[in-house]
Amino acid sequence: GGVHSTTELWVTAIDVATGDLQPQASENLLVELAEGTLEAPDTQAVPMLSAQLARVAAMVNERRRREQAERSQENEALVQARIASEQRSVGIKIRRVDERRAKMSESADLRLRRMLEGQARNLRQDLDDGAAKYEARRRLTLSVETVALVLLEGPA
């Protein structure tokens, strides 16, 4: 949901020994992935990582919660701005049609009168319906999916 749909790659790296967050390792992993220089480690021994995985999951959940709150506020502001902009635009169009109708003489062509009345009616309906078309975009959802688990060896 939301005004803009996006897909992002989040990297959460921790030191297996300490459980501390390693932001530089996250950045390095993304750089190596982008450059195509990421290589498989020589070792085949994978330590038991259950406690560390639980810690990473907790970190990711906390980040998702923060991002959801922040982006929901940003999304709501965007939706409100779009609604206000559309209302201003339609309001200007209504005023123009009303001005044309007011300047018309009584002897003006009936077809022209009806056309302008129809335009004004349709624009007023657009004004009433404007907020409703953005209602679905108010509901922002943020989902997180684990794509890969990578064990890095060497310095961060």
Side-chain angles (χ1 to χ4, degrees), residues 3 5 8-9 15 17 23 27 32 42-43 46 48 68 75 83 85 94 96 107 114 118 120 124 126-127 130 155:
V3 174
S5 180
E8 300 176 8
L9 177 62
D15 184 309
E27 187 176 316
E32 288 187 17
D42 293 332
T43 182
V46 177
M48 298 304 291
Q68 176 81 36
N75 187 69
I83 290 170
S85 175
I94 290 171
R96 286 183 186 153
S107 61
R114 287 185 178 159
R124 284 185 175 84
D126 288 348
L127 192 61

Side-chain angles (χ1 to χ4, degrees), residues 9-137:
L9 177 62
W10 290 358
V11 177
T12 305
I14 65 166
D15 184 309
V16 176
T18 65
D20 292 338
L21 194 60
Q22 297 293 310
Q24 188 61 45
S26 299
E27 187 176 316
N28 292 348
L29 177 64
L30 288 174
V31 168
E32 288 187 17
L33 186 62
E35 293 175 348
T37 59
L38 194 61
E39 297 177 6
D42 293 332
T43 182
Q44 294 189 24
V46 177
M48 298 304 291
L49 299 174
S50 61
Q52 288 83 356
L53 289 176
R55 183 167 168 80
V56 169
M59 289 176 180
V60 169
N61 285 334
E62 176 58 25
R63 180 175 181 189
R64 188 204 55 77
R65 188 193 61 71
R66 283 192 320 269
E67 292 280 345
Q68 176 81 36
E70 181 180 319
R71 292 178 190 210
S72 289
Q73 290 175 350
E74 292 170 357
N75 187 69
E76 180 64 25
L78 281 171
V79 168
Q80 289 296 342
R82 294 245 172 116
I83 290 170
S85 175
E86 189 164 316
Q87 287 175 337
R88 279 191 302 276
S89 175
V90 172
I92 289 169
K93 291 175 186 177
I94 290 171
R95 281 191 293 283
R96 286 183 186 153
V97 169
D98 286 346
E99 287 170 3
R100 286 182 64 197
R101 288 175 58 202
K103 289 179 183 177
M104 290 177 63
S105 66
E106 291 295 322
S107 61
D109 187 350
L110 183 60
R111 292 176 294 185
L112 180 59
R113 276 186 188 287
R114 287 185 178 159
M115 181 190 76
L116 291 175
E117 287 170 3
Q119 281 181 345
R121 185 176 45 255
N122 291 340
L123 287 169
R124 284 185 175 84
Q125 185 63 47
D126 288 348
L127 192 61
D128 292 340
D129 295 342
K133 83 177 184 181
Y134 287 102
E135 193 57 40
R137 294 180 178 176

